[in-house]
Structure formats: structure tokens, C-alpha cells
Amino acid sequence: MPKRVWRLTLVPEEAEGTTETELARIERSEAGGLADLGLSLEEVKHLTAALQAEIVTAQVATVGERRRRV
């Protein structure tokens, strides 16, 4: 059965190059019903946790770099 696939990728806009991070890969059968529309609670939790981890890590690195310069 054919599947539709979405890749959710985080791409920070930085002056010195960018690195893409795949946060999630969501697959759905094209024969799915109404109950399969949208994201499941488990998918939302996974996506939010992955996004939070990437953003917080980048923010901590930025704050640490700034404090070393002062």
C-alpha cells in the first residue's frame, strides 16, 4: 500500500553555515481513515521533545560563548 511521508527538519539560520537536523519522520498509509488524520499525541510529544532539545542546546551554547567573551 502506498505511503505518504513527511520529514520535519530544523534548519537554523546562522552566519557560519547551517546544519539540518531531522526532528521527525511521519508516515501515513494513503488508505488511512478519518482517525488517522493529523498527528497522534505520541508523535506530538516526540516532535516537541526533539525540537526543545535542539533549541535549548543551541541557546545554551550561545549563552556560554557570550559569557566566555565577557
Side-chain angles (χ1 to χ4, degrees):
M1 208 167 277
K3 288 187 176 187
R4 182 166 292 219
V5 177
W6 290 271
R7 286 184 10 182
L8 294 131
T9 306
L10 183 65
V11 182
E13 293 184 4
E14 299 173 353
E16 297 178 18
T18 60
T19 56
E20 293 186 9
T21 302
E22 186 170 305
L23 298 179
R25 180 182 170 96
I26 300 168
E27 297 183 17
R28 293 285 187 277
S29 168
E30 290 189 355
L34 292 177
D36 299 321
L37 294 177
L39 297 173
S40 70
L41 182 57
E42 192 61 36
E43 288 168 331
V44 171
K45 286 180 179 181
H46 172 77
L47 179 57
T48 303
L51 182 59
Q52 185 78 332
E54 290 296 322
I55 290 175
V56 170
T57 300
Q59 289 173 325
V60 167
T62 300
V63 168
E65 188 64 32
R66 238 184 290 139
R67 287 182 181 226
R68 275 184 259 173
R69 291 185 203 151
V70 176

